[in-house]
Amino acid sequence: MLFLLMLLTYGCEETEQPYVGYIVIERAVVEAAANSTVTLIADTDIDSPIKLTLDEEAAEWCSVSVSGKEIHVTATQANTGSVFRTANVRARCGYRETTFTVLQKFEGQQYLEYDWTKWTATGNSCQANDGGGYPSLFNEDRTTYWHDQYSPSSIEKPWYIVVDMKEELECCMFQIGRRHYSKNGNNYGTVKHMDIYTSTDNENFTKVGEFSFDLPWTAPDGTVVESSTSPLIPPYEEVSLAEPVTARYVKMVITETNGNHAQVAYFKAYEKI
């Protein structure tokens, strides 16, 4: 009986799995023109040859080949559209498998927007029942927005919004959306001046950019806009950074307004590609 118990115990012990190595392949970015190429170097400690499989749909405009650890990607067709396109490539090396993405830029594209679906925001002034509050900063609908607090009491400026991007990202540009009123087409230029700061720990912030929107403002067609609401006011402000910054937190500080209140429709962050 004791022998049988020992046999069962030994048979149930976990066995150590053999080490099978690793493989990491970064995203490939190719230009919009046909026959644009890029070469990646696979990061792997496996000696086995790398085998690649390309999505069938992507095979119409993209080709991949491999030589040792070098992976060659070619855009066989030009991207004549106004948006980038992507392809997924499966790579197998020994017992390891991974997937990497091929991105073909559209003509003139310099930046790529980060995914904002998990981002959150807090701040020192928010009227949550007017516009949707902080969650409205992370969708394309500019009829929803953040609004400074005015009830039950107002808060003196400066007002700030801190965005948590949930991970450290290398940022090269930010885009600040303006509120839109669909019934008359007005965009709200209520933010007169905003300073932008970044941080990795939510404690130590460094100023990286700013923008001002002073009234009266002259539209590209020569029309002088004196009101803070007009269809001629641009739908967003872009703040390009002098140098890329690595940040998890972005603080938008509104120091001046055109009028008594301010709205922000969305916040976007971009990487350089």
Side-chain angles (χ1 to χ4, degrees), residues 26-94:
E26 300 295 334
R27 180 185 63 196
V29 178
V30 292
E31 298 296 326
N35 300 316
S36 299
T37 63
V38 66
T39 298
L40 307 175
I41 305 297
D43 181 11
T44 181
D45 62 352
I46 305 171
D47 293 329
S48 302
I50 299 173
K51 298 180 180 180
L52 304 177
T53 304
L54 181 65
D55 287 348
E56 290 185 9
E57 293 183 2
E60 297 180 359
W61 61 268
C62 177
S63 68
V64 293
S65 62
V66 62
S67 176
K69 293 184 179 182
E70 292 187 353
I71 298 173
H72 307 285
V73 180
T74 301
T76 55
Q77 294 183 5
N79 182 5
T80 58
S82 58
V83 296
F84 65 86
R85 56 185 175 183
T86 59
N88 291 321
V89 183
R90 296 186 300 278
R92 182 179 179 88
C93 187

XYZ file of all heavy atoms in Angstrom, residues 26-94:
506
model
N 9.580 43.273 -34.183
C 8.902 44.554 -34.057
C 8.028 44.836 -35.282
O 8.111 44.146 -36.303
C 9.935 45.679 -33.890
C 10.829 45.526 -32.672
C 10.063 45.629 -31.365
O 9.000 46.291 -31.352
O 10.514 45.044 -30.365
N 7.207 45.867 -35.183
C 6.353 46.290 -36.295
C 7.200 46.791 -37.465
O 8.226 47.445 -37.278
C 5.426 47.411 -35.825
C 4.483 47.958 -36.889
C 3.705 49.143 -36.353
N 4.587 50.248 -36.016
C 4.238 51.286 -35.262
N 3.030 51.339 -34.749
N 5.097 52.257 -35.012
N 6.759 46.495 -38.678
C 7.410 46.995 -39.887
C 6.583 48.138 -40.457
O 5.366 48.013 -40.600
C 7.544 45.882 -40.922
N 7.238 49.257 -40.782
C 6.565 50.414 -41.368
C 7.173 50.679 -42.735
O 8.391 50.882 -42.849
C 6.699 51.665 -40.478
C 6.025 52.862 -41.139
C 6.099 51.401 -39.098
N 6.328 50.666 -43.780
C 6.800 50.941 -45.136
C 6.112 52.200 -45.658
O 5.010 52.553 -45.230
C 6.536 49.755 -46.088
C 7.392 48.567 -45.712
C 5.063 49.364 -46.083
N 6.774 52.869 -46.595
C 6.241 54.104 -47.161
C 5.056 53.806 -48.082
O 4.785 52.660 -48.438
C 7.339 54.837 -47.928
C 8.511 55.272 -47.069
C 8.117 56.288 -46.012
O 7.215 57.110 -46.279
O 8.710 56.263 -44.915
N 4.365 54.876 -48.497
C 3.165 54.729 -49.316
C 3.476 54.271 -50.735
O 2.646 53.625 -51.385
C 2.396 56.052 -49.349
N 4.656 54.592 -51.249
C 4.992 54.283 -52.638
C 5.147 52.784 -52.858
O 5.552 52.036 -51.959
C 6.278 55.002 -53.034
N 4.834 52.348 -54.075
C 5.034 50.949 -54.445
C 6.517 50.606 -54.394
O 7.382 51.450 -54.657
C 4.475 50.692 -55.837
N 6.812 49.362 -54.036
C 8.171 48.820 -53.947
C 8.974 49.395 -52.781
O 10.199 49.233 -52.740
C 8.934 49.024 -55.262
C 8.248 48.338 -56.427
O 7.799 47.199 -56.303
N 8.139 49.039 -57.556
N 8.305 50.066 -51.846
C 8.987 50.500 -50.625
C 9.343 49.270 -49.803
O 8.554 48.331 -49.687
C 8.084 51.427 -49.808
O 7.761 52.586 -50.540
N 10.538 49.267 -49.230
C 10.999 48.099 -48.484
C 11.537 48.503 -47.119
O 11.931 49.653 -46.901
C 12.110 47.354 -49.245
O 13.244 48.226 -49.387
C 11.627 46.905 -50.614
N 11.553 47.544 -46.220
C 12.165 47.721 -44.909
C 12.670 46.358 -44.454
O 12.092 45.320 -44.803
C 11.162 48.306 -43.890
C 10.033 47.328 -43.604
C 11.862 48.700 -42.601
N 13.765 46.360 -43.712
C 14.345 45.121 -43.202
C 14.313 45.128 -41.683
O 14.740 46.101 -41.049
C 15.794 44.944 -43.684
O 15.808 44.859 -45.116
C 16.410 43.676 -43.103
N 13.787 44.065 -41.111
C 13.743 43.883 -39.666
C 14.747 42.811 -39.259
O 15.056 41.911 -40.044
C 12.346 43.445 -39.215
C 11.148 44.288 -39.648
C 9.860 43.615 -39.198
C 11.243 45.687 -39.079
N 15.222 42.905 -38.031
C 16.083 41.869 -37.465
C 15.320 41.198 -36.327
O 14.972 41.853 -35.338
C 17.411 42.445 -36.944
C 18.125 43.232 -38.049
C 18.293 41.313 -36.416
C 18.516 42.396 -39.245
N 15.039 39.923 -36.483
C 14.329 39.186 -35.444
C 15.221 39.030 -34.220
O 16.402 38.680 -34.333
C 13.897 37.818 -35.961
N 14.666 39.295 -33.058
C 15.375 39.101 -31.793
C 15.032 37.698 -31.294
O 13.929 37.454 -30.804
C 14.937 40.164 -30.787
C 15.652 40.021 -29.451
O 16.621 39.237 -29.374
O 15.231 40.687 -28.483
N 15.962 36.768 -31.443
C 15.696 35.381 -31.070
C 16.991 34.677 -30.685
O 18.076 35.052 -31.150
C 15.018 34.618 -32.226
O 14.761 33.275 -31.815
C 15.883 34.609 -33.470
N 16.860 33.683 -29.829
C 18.005 32.843 -29.467
C 17.848 31.436 -30.027
O 18.539 30.512 -29.612
C 18.178 32.802 -27.948
C 16.980 32.183 -27.229
O 15.954 31.933 -27.894
O 17.066 31.964 -26.005
N 16.939 31.287 -30.990
C 16.663 29.980 -31.581
C 17.413 29.864 -32.907
O 17.388 30.782 -33.732
C 15.149 29.798 -31.811
C 14.381 30.025 -30.501
C 14.851 28.413 -32.361
C 12.880 30.075 -30.673
N 18.072 28.739 -33.119
C 18.851 28.536 -34.341
C 18.009 28.041 -35.513
O 18.463 28.069 -36.657
C 19.984 27.534 -34.081
C 21.024 28.088 -33.113
O 21.218 29.321 -33.105
O 21.623 27.293 -32.364
N 16.806 27.588 -35.250
C 15.962 27.050 -36.321
C 15.593 28.146 -37.314
O 15.523 29.329 -36.952
C 14.684 26.447 -35.731
O 14.987 25.426 -34.808
N 15.331 27.796 -38.572
C 14.936 28.798 -39.565
C 13.579 29.415 -39.228
O 12.716 28.765 -38.630
C 14.879 28.007 -40.874
C 14.709 26.582 -40.456
C 15.438 26.438 -39.163
N 13.402 30.666 -39.612
C 12.141 31.376 -39.383
C 11.230 31.150 -40.586
O 11.646 31.334 -41.735
C 12.392 32.881 -39.175
C 13.286 33.106 -37.955
C 11.073 33.635 -39.023
C 13.722 34.550 -37.776
N 9.998 30.763 -40.314
C 9.006 30.565 -41.365
C 7.906 31.611 -41.208
O 7.390 31.811 -40.110
C 8.419 29.153 -41.292
C 9.453 28.055 -41.500
C 8.829 26.671 -41.417
C 9.877 25.582 -41.624
N 9.279 24.222 -41.538
N 7.551 32.284 -42.305
C 6.584 33.379 -42.275
C 5.319 33.014 -43.038
O 5.381 32.367 -44.089
C 7.190 34.644 -42.890
C 8.494 35.156 -42.273
C 8.999 36.362 -43.052
C 8.300 35.503 -40.803
N 4.176 33.461 -42.505
C 2.889 33.280 -43.175
C 2.167 34.614 -43.185
O 1.933 35.212 -42.128
C 2.018 32.233 -42.455
O 2.739 31.003 -42.348
C 0.724 31.995 -43.222
N 1.801 35.088 -44.372
C 1.155 36.388 -44.549
C -0.340 36.207 -44.772
O -0.766 35.269 -45.455
C 1.777 37.110 -45.748
C 1.275 38.507 -46.110
C 1.586 39.500 -45.003
C 1.909 38.963 -47.420
N -1.147 37.113 -44.197
C -2.589 37.077 -44.431
C -2.886 37.122 -45.927
O -2.220 37.833 -46.686
C -3.273 38.277 -43.761
C -3.314 38.135 -42.254
O -3.027 37.038 -41.763
O -3.629 39.134 -41.578
N -3.911 36.384 -46.354
C -4.238 36.308 -47.776
C -4.593 37.674 -48.355
O -4.157 38.030 -49.453
C -5.394 35.330 -47.993
C -5.026 33.871 -47.747
C -6.161 32.937 -48.084
O -7.163 33.414 -48.668
O -6.054 31.742 -47.779
N -5.406 38.454 -47.637
C -5.804 39.766 -48.150
C -4.602 40.690 -48.297
O -4.499 41.444 -49.263
C -6.845 40.396 -47.226
C -8.179 39.665 -47.212
C -9.196 40.373 -46.341
O -8.862 41.450 -45.794
O -10.318 39.862 -46.206
N -3.687 40.625 -47.345
C -2.516 41.501 -47.387
C -1.557 41.111 -48.502
O -0.774 41.941 -48.974
C -1.799 41.469 -46.049
N -1.623 39.862 -48.947
C -0.717 39.406 -49.999
C -0.926 40.166 -51.301
O -0.061 40.147 -52.184
C -0.906 37.911 -50.227
N -2.051 40.869 -51.431
C -2.308 41.654 -52.634
C -1.404 42.880 -52.713
O -1.145 43.383 -53.806
C -3.773 42.086 -52.676
C -4.759 40.925 -52.760
C -6.189 41.404 -52.789
O -6.396 42.644 -52.725
O -7.104 40.565 -52.884
N -0.932 43.387 -51.567
C -0.120 44.609 -51.590
C 1.192 44.489 -50.825
O 1.975 45.437 -50.776
C -0.913 45.786 -51.023
C -1.361 45.626 -49.583
C -2.542 45.117 -49.146
C -0.626 45.977 -48.406
N -2.597 45.118 -47.767
C -1.438 45.652 -47.288
C 0.628 46.543 -48.182
C -1.026 45.869 -45.977
C 1.042 46.760 -46.867
C 0.215 46.420 -45.784
N 1.468 43.321 -50.274
C 2.634 43.181 -49.403
C 3.285 41.819 -49.625
O 2.603 40.823 -49.887
C 2.180 43.327 -47.946
S 3.476 43.088 -46.719
N 4.617 41.776 -49.529
C 5.327 40.505 -49.580
C 6.383 40.481 -48.484
O 6.901 41.530 -48.080
C 5.983 40.287 -50.951
O 7.043 41.208 -51.146
N 6.690 39.280 -47.994
C 7.694 39.122 -46.942
C 8.614 37.966 -47.304
O 8.199 36.994 -47.935
C 7.039 38.867 -45.566
C 6.286 40.092 -45.090
C 6.112 37.658 -45.611
N 9.872 38.091 -46.916
C 10.837 37.015 -47.108
C 11.811 37.048 -45.941
O 11.887 38.032 -45.196
C 11.581 37.164 -48.438
O 12.315 38.379 -48.461
N 12.573 35.972 -45.778
C 13.472 35.881 -44.634
C 14.811 35.316 -45.072
O 14.887 34.454 -45.956
C 12.838 35.010 -43.520
C 12.609 33.589 -43.994
C 13.682 35.035 -42.259
N 15.870 35.838 -44.464
C 17.225 35.344 -44.685
C 17.932 35.351 -43.339
O 18.332 36.412 -42.843
C 17.972 36.226 -45.690
O 19.319 35.803 -45.827
N 18.049 34.179 -42.735
C 18.592 34.116 -41.380
C 17.653 34.813 -40.419
O 16.478 34.470 -40.318
N 18.163 35.836 -39.720
C 17.327 36.614 -38.813
C 16.791 37.885 -39.471
O 16.041 38.639 -38.846
C 18.114 36.982 -37.550
C 18.477 35.786 -36.676
C 19.168 36.237 -35.398
C 19.516 35.040 -34.516
N 20.157 35.460 -33.240
N 17.177 38.127 -40.723
C 16.702 39.308 -41.445
C 15.361 39.020 -42.112
O 15.217 38.038 -42.840
C 17.715 39.746 -42.499
C 19.008 40.285 -41.931
C 19.896 40.855 -43.019
O 19.546 40.710 -44.215
O 20.931 41.451 -42.683
N 14.398 39.897 -41.859
C 13.072 39.777 -42.469
C 12.875 40.968 -43.391
O 12.958 42.124 -42.955
C 11.973 39.732 -41.394
C 12.165 38.496 -40.511
C 10.589 39.737 -42.030
C 11.228 38.441 -39.325
N 12.628 40.699 -44.665
C 12.484 41.745 -45.672
C 11.006 41.915 -46.014
O 10.322 40.949 -46.359
C 13.279 41.390 -46.928
C 14.714 41.062 -46.649
N 15.648 42.025 -46.342
C 15.362 39.864 -46.597
C 16.819 41.453 -46.129
N 16.674 40.139 -46.279
N 10.521 43.149 -45.906
C 9.121 43.464 -46.170
C 9.062 44.448 -47.331
O 9.780 45.455 -47.335
C 8.438 44.072 -44.928
C 6.975 44.387 -45.222
C 8.559 43.130 -43.736
N 8.205 44.173 -48.306
C 8.065 45.033 -49.483
C 6.596 45.350 -49.721
O 5.748 44.448 -49.675
C 8.637 44.357 -50.735
O 10.019 44.058 -50.522
C 8.498 45.263 -51.957
N 6.309 46.628 -49.962
C 4.966 47.034 -50.380
C 4.913 46.906 -51.896
O 5.517 47.700 -52.615
C 4.678 48.464 -49.953
N 4.224 45.905 -52.391
C 4.193 45.645 -53.829
C 3.249 46.581 -54.568
O 3.308 46.678 -55.791
C 3.780 44.191 -54.091
O 2.520 43.936 -53.444
C 4.830 43.235 -53.537
N 2.379 47.270 -53.832
C 1.476 48.247 -54.428
C 1.540 49.542 -53.628
O 1.815 49.529 -52.427
C 0.031 47.739 -54.440
C -0.231 46.549 -55.335
C -1.699 46.161 -55.336
O -2.538 46.845 -54.745
N -2.019 45.059 -55.995
N 1.264 50.658 -54.303
C 1.203 51.947 -53.619
C -0.086 52.046 -52.811
O -1.120 51.505 -53.200
C 1.269 53.088 -54.631
N -0.005 52.730 -51.686
C -1.208 53.032 -50.907
C -1.696 54.406 -51.353
O -1.149 55.434 -50.957
C -0.899 53.030 -49.411
C -2.142 53.297 -48.573
O -3.252 53.389 -49.097
N -1.960 53.427 -47.267
N -2.714 54.430 -52.185
C -3.234 55.684 -52.727
C -4.392 56.232 -51.910
O -4.961 57.270 -52.261
C -3.695 55.476 -54.179
O -4.692 54.445 -54.215
C -2.521 55.063 -55.061
N -4.742 55.550 -50.825
C -5.847 56.002 -49.989
C -5.425 57.095 -49.027
O -4.276 57.550 -49.019
N -6.363 57.497 -48.185
C -6.116 58.569 -47.217
C -5.893 58.038 -45.808
O -5.780 58.818 -44.862
C -7.297 59.548 -47.206
O -8.503 58.871 -46.885
N -5.847 56.711 -45.648
C -5.580 56.090 -44.352
C -4.514 55.014 -44.534
O -4.335 54.476 -45.634
C -6.853 55.468 -43.731
C -7.881 56.539 -43.422
C -7.444 54.410 -44.652
N -3.802 54.708 -43.459
C -2.804 53.643 -43.521
C -3.502 52.287 -43.580
O -4.685 52.156 -43.275
C -1.869 53.714 -42.310
C -2.543 53.460 -40.989
C -2.709 52.173 -40.499
C -3.017 54.520 -40.218
C -3.330 51.931 -39.285
C -3.642 54.294 -38.997
C -3.801 52.997 -38.536
N -2.756 51.265 -43.978
C -3.296 49.912 -43.964
C -2.289 48.979 -43.302
O -1.087 49.267 -43.274
C -3.643 49.433 -45.370
C -2.512 49.480 -46.387
C -3.043 49.092 -47.760
N -2.042 49.232 -48.813
C -2.290 49.016 -50.105
N -3.505 48.648 -50.494
N -1.338 49.164 -51.014
N -2.796 47.876 -42.772
C -1.944 46.970 -42.013
C -2.134 45.529 -42.470
O -3.167 45.166 -43.040
C -2.238 47.048 -40.505
O -3.613 46.701 -40.269
C -1.951 48.433 -39.963
N -1.114 44.732 -42.199
C -1.149 43.295 -42.459
C -0.531 42.584 -41.267
O 0.387 43.111 -40.629
C -0.380 42.957 -43.730
N -1.025 41.404 -40.968
C -0.468 40.585 -39.899
C 0.362 39.459 -40.496
O -0.063 38.798 -41.450
C -1.577 39.999 -39.025
C -2.277 41.062 -38.209
O -1.642 41.985 -37.711
N -3.585 40.942 -38.069
N 1.547 39.249 -39.931
C 2.442 38.195 -40.390
C 2.722 37.263 -39.213
O 3.145 37.712 -38.143
C 3.767 38.765 -40.926
C 4.647 37.632 -41.455
C 3.507 39.794 -42.018
N 2.485 35.975 -39.413
C 2.794 34.975 -38.392
C 4.190 34.427 -38.640
O 4.538 34.073 -39.773
C 1.760 33.846 -38.407
C 0.359 34.296 -38.034
C -0.599 33.118 -37.918
N -0.710 32.382 -39.169
C -1.489 32.754 -40.179
N -2.200 33.867 -40.094
N -1.554 32.022 -41.278
N 4.969 34.368 -37.579
C 6.341 33.866 -37.679
C 6.502 32.667 -36.753
O 6.103 32.719 -35.589
C 7.336 34.961 -37.307
N 7.097 31.609 -37.282
C 7.371 30.412 -36.480
C 8.865 30.129 -36.526
O 9.483 30.130 -37.597
C 6.595 29.204 -37.002
C 6.808 27.939 -36.168
C 6.006 26.767 -36.709
N 6.233 25.565 -35.917
C 5.544 25.236 -34.839
N 4.558 26.026 -34.430
N 5.812 24.133 -34.171
N 9.427 29.896 -35.352
C 10.856 29.589 -35.243
C 11.001 28.488 -34.203
O 10.777 28.719 -33.009
C 11.638 30.834 -34.842
S 13.429 30.640 -34.864
N 11.351 27.297 -34.646
C 11.376 26.166 -33.728
C 9.983 25.901 -33.196
O 9.026 25.760 -33.953
